[in-house]
Amino acid sequence: MKNIILIGFMGVGKGSVAREVIKHSDCVAVDTDDLIESMENRTIKKIFAEDGEEYFRDLEKKLSKWLGSSVKNTLISTGGGFYKQKNLKEIGTVVLLNSPFDKILKRINSHPNAVKKLKKRPLLSDLKKAKELYDERLPEYLALADIVIEVTDKSALECAKELLKKVKKHD
Ligand code: S3P
């Protein structure tokens, strides 16, 4: 199996879908934000606050090279900005989880840990700017995706099943 790279905007549900995919396949999953946090032994929020976004983007770049050269047969869930990596398509099949901005916000806000979810994402602290970022990224996400899963009003399990079916057909 080729790697599967899950991309999509913050809060769209990449982590939840990845967890369902690993439950229903023999796939192992990693998450780029988790890998960066363990490389640095501090949270994404702290990395942004102490060293800034550019430093974080350099870590994503370093990680993308390692993923491309060393990781196989893996579901790779990514932070919302990771899609900018030049070698993205070489890492694996790119799957976009897609949903309108207002539905993404609704999804985050309906979560029991909504405040925590918003706080841990520095780029969601200003919703006007986050919407602009969403509008800027959407066409880029769509252009890169080999497979698009519309996630609105679907459970993580439904999305995971759709993903596995579409990936099988694609690869
Ligand atoms: C970011 C998304 C975050 C995290 C960082 C930057 C982005 O990941 O990588 O805060 O640029 O969209 P999630 O998409 O998992 O929230």
Side-chain angles (χ1 to χ4, degrees):
M1 193 193 87
K2 273 171 79 178
N3 291 323
I4 301 169
I5 297 254
L6 264 191
I7 64 166
F9 203 68
M10 291 170 272
V12 77
K14 290 164 288 185
S16 309
V17 172
R19 281 186 289 279
E20 289 299 336
V21 172
I22 57 172
K23 263 193 233 164
H24 296 89
S25 68
D26 48 15
C27 218
V28 165
V30 294
D31 178 296
T32 58
D33 284 346
D34 291 348
L35 290 170
I36 286 174
E37 287 188 343
S38 64
M39 275 156 71
E40 290 278 305
N41 194 27
R42 54 185 174 152
T43 62
I44 302 289
K45 194 180 164 194
K46 261 209 160 152
I47 297 172
F48 268 71
E50 291 173 356
D51 289 303
E53 181 172 347
E54 209 179 309
Y55 179 82
F56 173 76
R57 299 298 173 201
D58 284 345
L59 293 172
E60 285 191 318
K61 191 169 165 191
K62 189 171 173 185
L63 188 58
S64 74
K65 288 186 187 152
W66 175 74
L67 290 167
S69 64
S70 308
V71 174
K72 304 273 175 282
N73 307 321
T74 299
L75 171 66
I76 302 163
S77 182
T78 66
F82 190 86
Y83 76 101
K84 297 223 179 203
Q85 301 312 314
K86 286 200 178 77
N87 67 339
L88 189 81
K89 306 273 286 184
E90 289 153 36
I91 302 176
T93 305
V94 179
V95 179
L96 170 67
L97 299 190
N98 196 36
S99 187
F101 185 71
D102 59 322
K103 301 282 184 192
I104 293 177
L105 279 192
K106 211 170 144 196
R107 180 181 179 275
I108 298 175
N109 286 321
S110 67
H111 198 276
N113 279 336
V115 175
K116 202 171 151 209
K117 288 205 166 268
L118 280 167
K119 272 202 181 146
K120 76 172 214 185
R121 295 179 163 101
L123 299 178
L124 275 183
S125 61
D126 178 332
L127 290 185
K128 192 171 166 274
K129 279 197 187 144
K131 168 76 169 92
E132 282 165 15
L133 191 62
Y134 176 90
D135 289 340
E136 183 189 309
R137 284 181 178 176
L138 184 59
E140 298 174 353
Y141 283 148
L142 288 166
L144 279 166
D146 297 307
I147 293 167
V148 179
I149 316 263
E150 294 296 337
V151 304
T152 314
D153 299 328
K154 286 182 196 157
S155 68
L157 176 59
E158 286 172 314
C159 297
K161 285 188 173 162
E162 188 177 328
L163 180 151
L164 287 166
K165 213 165 137 187
K166 287 186 169 168
V167 165
K168 204 171 161 194
K169 224 170 156 188
H170 179 274
D171 283 0

